[in-house]
Amino acid sequence: MSSHRKPRTRILTSPGSRRTAAGLTTAALASVTLLSQSAEAAPRQPAPTIEEVKQKVDDLYRQAEVATQKYNGAKEQADQQRGTVDRLLDESARRTQKMNDARRELGVYASAQYRTGGLSPTAQLLLARNPQQFADRSHLMDRLTGRQQQAVADYQEQQAAAGRQRAEASRSLERLTETQASLKESKKDVQDKLAEARQLLSRLTAQEKARLAELERKKEAEAKRKAEELARKQAEKERKERADRDRHDGPGPGTGSGSPDGGSGGGQADGGTYSGKAAKALAFARAQMGKPYVWGATGPNSYDCSGLTQAAWKAAGVSLPRTTWDQVKAGDRVATKDLKPGDLVFFYDDISHVGMYIGDGKMIHAPKPGASVRVESIYYMPIYGSVRPA
């Protein structure tokens, strides 16, 4: 009896089938290997050099200073606008009081006329929804006495003035709100830049931090060399000028012999006026040495760069604006070779930093977050220009 079972399919019975399967297996393994190699061969971002890290950190600090100046400007503007709003609100309150006084005076007339019988034109004016429109009716004004007409005119004037004051105060409040929004945005920008800089520095190894410190020392040494060269040139220039004066004036009493304060390049062309003010400003700045840089700070416990220069010159009786962008306009421009103690030196193309020249190619300044007010070469940063503020 024949079997009805379906014969089983025999797998890989022939040599050809076995060769095909082996080929497929080899191809699959090759594909996996190639994918693995491709993944391993994918380009990786090389780790930044310490020079690149330093450049990035310096750029972030400078960007933070730009944002700080925006913050300082917005804060100064907000303070001014807040003062304007307060003044306008006070004036509006006084106007409203005067309007109420004028209204009470009209009420006195209205009461007197009502007692004599009938609702007088004055009372109608007082009770009207639109007194201005009512008062424009000249035939009614003709029925009022001269004193009553003056009372009506005073009321109308005070009412209009109070309305103008309220409208102006409202506009000022809107501007203040916009400035405060800008202030908040600048503050966040500063905080973000400084946080990024701190994060970069925190990733450095001890060896990388040592390398970074070495780069800073080299930069400071080069800046110091340039400052010494400037000091030498300024001293030579002063000697020549003194010799020229001596030859011109001749020996004898009353002959000029240098600057009043004895300092290098110190204000002889100004008859001592500038050098005297500069001495006061520099004395103040020196007294702040060691105090920390804090962005947006104006003293007395900490400063940012323009906060220090503003406070120093204020101590000498000279009022400077708050930001570097405005301070650079607050005086006469001076060439680097002609700098005198007290002059303001500005840095970078965006004018984001300022220091106060002390002579010999050096300045006092509030450098950056994490540093304190100190003396440094003016060549530590690229110079934009200089200003003599008084």
Side-chain angles (χ1 to χ4, degrees):
M1 184 172 150
S2 61
S3 172
H4 296 285
R5 289 182 298 175
K6 185 177 180 181
R8 290 180 297 174
T9 303
R10 300 190 65 181
I11 302 173
L12 303 177
T13 54
S14 68
S17 298
R18 285 196 293 271
R19 283 195 300 271
T20 302
L24 290 171
T25 303
T26 303
L29 289 172
S31 298
V32 170
T33 303
L34 286 172
L35 287 171
S36 175
Q37 290 175 346
S38 298
E40 290 178 358
R44 295 179 181 177
Q45 285 288 79
T49 66
I50 194 64
E51 288 82 4
E52 290 172 337
V53 170
K54 182 182 184 305
Q55 183 62 53
K56 179 64 174 176
V57 169
D58 288 345
D59 287 346
L60 286 168
Y61 278 141
R62 187 165 63 84
Q63 291 167 23
E65 282 211 287
V66 172
T68 296
Q69 295 307 314
K70 290 180 180 178
Y71 172 87
N72 292 340
K75 186 175 185 302
E76 183 179 44
Q77 189 176 9
D79 290 343
Q80 292 171 350
Q81 289 172 340
R82 191 175 292 108
T84 299
V85 168
D86 291 343
R87 176 181 57 79
L88 289 171
L89 290 174
D90 288 343
E91 289 178 2
S92 179
R94 286 194 294 271
R95 288 287 186 183
T96 300
Q97 183 60 45
K98 289 181 180 179
M99 183 182 72
N100 290 336
D101 291 342
R103 190 180 185 93
R104 277 192 294 272
E105 188 173 358
L106 282 177
V108 170
Y109 292 131
S111 298
Q113 291 177 356
Y114 182 76
R115 285 194 297 271
T116 61
L119 190 61
S120 68
T122 307
Q124 294 178 43
L125 173 63
L126 185 62
L127 299 174
R129 285 190 177 182
N130 189 343
Q132 177 64 48
Q133 187 179 44
F134 185 84
D136 286 341
R137 300 172 187 171
S138 59
H139 70 281
L140 288 173
M141 290 296 291
D142 290 341
R143 297 171 59 183
L144 301 176
T145 66
R147 189 170 179 182
Q148 289 172 328
Q149 288 179 357
Q150 183 61 48
V152 171
D154 289 345
Y155 174 70
Q156 293 169 347
E157 179 184 348
Q158 298 304 331
Q159 186 185 46
R164 288 193 298 270
Q165 290 288 352
R166 284 193 296 271
E168 189 176 353
S170 178
R171 289 191 296 270
S172 293
L173 279 171
E174 289 176 3
R175 288 193 293 269
L176 176 58
T177 301
E178 292 172 0
T179 302
Q180 286 173 329
S182 174
L183 190 65
K184 185 177 180 181
E185 181 181 349
S186 296
K187 181 176 181 178
K188 184 179 183 304
D189 196 14
V190 174
Q191 292 171 332
D192 289 347
K193 300 297 183 188
L194 295 181
E196 188 176 352
R198 285 193 296 269
Q199 190 175 31
L200 279 173
L201 292 173
S202 69
R203 293 172 182 165
L204 298 179
T205 65
Q207 186 177 3
E208 288 171 333
K209 289 177 180 177
R211 173 63 178 153
L212 182 62
E214 177 62 23
L215 291 175
E216 284 289 339
R217 283 192 291 272
K218 287 183 178 179
K219 182 178 179 181
E220 289 170 1
E222 177 62 15
K224 182 180 179 183
R225 185 192 66 77
K226 290 182 178 180
E228 290 170 350
E229 178 65 15
L230 176 63
R232 185 189 64 76
K233 290 180 179 178
Q234 287 181 329
E236 180 63 25
K237 178 184 176 183
E238 188 176 347
R239 281 194 294 272
K240 288 181 179 179
E241 289 175 348
R242 186 181 299 115
D244 289 343
R245 286 196 304 273
D246 289 344
R247 282 195 301 270
H248 181 268
D249 297 336
T255 301
S257 59
S259 61
D261 59 1
S264 171
Q268 57 230 18
D270 301 298
T273 301
Y274 179 75
S275 61
K277 291 180 179 179
K280 291 179 181 178
L282 287 170
F284 179 93
R286 286 191 175 97
Q288 314 312 309
M289 296 271 288
K291 292 184 178 180
Y293 174 101
V294 174
W295 66 271
T298 57
N301 299 319
S302 57
Y303 296 89
D304 64 17
C305 65
S306 55
L308 176 64
T309 51
Q310 183 189 46
W313 271 103
K314 183 179 180 181
V318 177
S319 178
L320 291 181
R322 178 64 181 92
T323 70
T324 54
W325 303 321
D326 291 327
Q327 287 184 10
V328 76
K329 304 171 188 174
D332 298 326
R333 294 298 293 267
V334 181
T336 301
K337 65 183 180 65
D338 297 324
L339 283 169
K340 295 179 181 179
D343 290 348
L344 302 181
V345 186
F346 298 87
F347 301 91
Y348 302 108
D349 290 341
D350 53 19
I351 323 175
S352 56
H353 192 76
V354 62
M356 183 180 295
Y357 191 67
I358 63 172
D360 297 331
K362 299 175 184 177
M363 64 178 172
I364 293 179
H365 70 142
K368 60 186 178 182
S372 300
V373 176
R374 67 192 183 199
V375 171
E376 202 154 43
S377 167
I378 63 172
Y379 292 103
Y380 186 75
M381 295 167 281
I383 297 173
Y384 171 83
S386 303
V387 162
R388 187 159 298 149

